[in-house]
Amino acid sequence: METKNVNQQKEDETSKVNREQLAEEKKTAGNAAIAKKNFEEAIALYSESIALSPNGPNSHIYYSNRAAAYCHLNNYQQAANDCEKSIALNYSYVKAHSRLGLARFFLGQYKESIAAYENAVTLEPSNKSHSDALKQAKQKLDEQQRQSVATQQSNQSTTPGGMPDLSALAGLMGGGAGGAGGGLASLLQNPQMMQMAQQMMQNPQLMQQAMAMMGGGGGNGMPDMSALASMFGGGGGGGSGIGPNNPFNNTSTSTGNGSGGGGGLPSFSGFVDENR
């Protein structure tokens, strides 16, 4: 009976070794698939590695490499999930932290991205790509927070129907609700003024800047219309919209998939560990 148990144990150990070897072969094939940009095939191969060795010595690499493949397919939530599993298996595996930072970045979860990149920097301080990515994530968080503040301020300055408080605007322009000859009513009869007003309603930041200029006024209490018009790319000739060089022309917007931002994006370089 004892001999049978010993033999069974040896068979189990042999089977485990074989499974680990096969898992490594699948991982190598997955790396090759990524190099050929066959990302779905790579995911399938890494998944086979995980099934063969869910808690083996290299299982954290399988999860992390599968996360890389998911990132290439823009499936950042699944990538983040795999990175978390990789870190749970081997916290010191720095690539799982850096890939988690990238996945969280593209999900628009900048605080979580910063935390992941900070861990990567701590584990591998000599790697400049980690510190660069950390800086970019901090910049995006700062932009997100400033946009949130601007939105809150805009909401506070609007009426219950969501439109700007035109009575306040009328006061700044020197006219009352009834509209004197030089007040708001006459200004809004001007097609160019109507276009400017519409653009302001669509851009809270622009609205705030325009209100500030209106508050500065000329000697007769009216706003400096030449300065106001220049904000919209107009000048004396009556431009048709916000000029491309206007600092309030917000052309680089941030989206949930991380596509925006002039400060660059975290790099995909070194995404797959081909040597393991």
Side-chain angles (χ1 to χ4, degrees):
M1 186 67 177
E2 183 177 348
T3 301
K4 184 177 180 180
N5 290 337
V6 170
N7 290 337
Q8 183 63 47
Q9 183 178 0
K10 288 182 178 179
E11 290 179 5
D12 291 343
E13 290 176 355
T14 300
S15 177
K16 182 178 180 180
V17 170
N18 290 339
R19 289 170 67 86
E20 294 293 343
Q21 290 177 344
L22 184 55
E24 279 294 290
E25 292 174 6
K26 295 294 183 180
K27 184 212 75 172
T28 301
N31 291 351
I34 281 202
K36 296 177 181 178
K37 302 186 184 303
N38 297 330
F39 303 122
E40 291 182 355
E41 179 184 350
I43 289 171
L45 289 164
Y46 293 137
S47 297
E48 290 186 50
S49 293
I50 293 168
L52 288 163
S53 178
N55 296 293
N58 292 326
S59 299
H60 61 286
I61 297 176
Y62 308 152
Y63 277 111
S64 182
N65 282 8
R66 190 171 72 173
Y70 276 127
C71 278
H72 282 293
L73 292 175
N74 299 331
N75 190 343
Y76 300 114
Q77 185 57 62
Q78 190 60 56
N81 294 343
D82 272 0
C83 288
E84 296 283 4
K85 293 174 182 176
S86 176
I87 293 169
L89 289 169
N90 186 343
Y91 183 84
S92 64
Y93 189 57
V94 66
K95 286 191 176 183
H97 292 281
S98 64
R99 291 167 185 169
L100 177 60
L102 184 134
R104 296 298 186 195
F105 182 97
F106 282 107
L107 286 169
Q109 300 168 352
Y110 302 121
K111 287 184 179 180
E112 293 82 356
S113 177
I114 289 170
Y117 280 128
E118 285 177 340
N119 289 335
V121 170
T122 299
L123 290 168
E124 197 175 40
S126 62
N127 191 325
K128 188 175 182 295
S129 66
H130 300 330
S131 57
D132 287 345
L134 175 60
K135 180 180 179 181
Q136 291 160 4
K138 288 181 176 180
Q139 288 175 343
K140 295 299 288 187
L141 177 62
D142 181 63
E143 290 177 15
Q144 186 182 62
Q145 291 175 337
R146 284 189 281 108
Q147 288 175 357
S148 177
V149 170
T151 299
Q152 291 176 359
Q153 292 175 344
S154 175
N155 290 340
Q156 292 172 357
S157 65
T158 59
T159 64
M163 297 295 288
D165 185 357
L166 293 180
S167 63
L169 186 60
L172 286 172
M173 290 184 170
L184 179 62
S186 61
L187 286 171
L188 292 184
Q189 291 176 3
N190 185 316
Q192 184 178 2
M193 282 301 300
M194 284 297 294
Q195 182 182 30
M196 293 165 65
Q198 290 173 356
Q199 291 175 357
M200 282 190 290
M201 291 175 187
Q202 295 170 3
N203 191 326
Q205 185 179 17
L206 189 61
M207 181 70 168
Q208 293 173 5
Q209 295 295 327
M211 295 285 280
M213 283 190 178
M214 291 172 186
N220 60 355
M222 294 292 288
D224 182 355
M225 299 307 296
S226 61
L228 185 59
S230 69
M231 290 179 62
F232 295 85
S240 60
I242 300 178
N245 297 323
N246 193 312
F248 305 110
N249 185 8
N250 191 13
T251 58
S252 59
T253 59
S254 174
T255 63
N257 64 4
S259 62
L265 298 175
S267 173
F268 273 69
S269 62
F271 232 48
V272 179
D273 191 339
E274 298 180 357
N275 299 320
R276 295 187 183 179

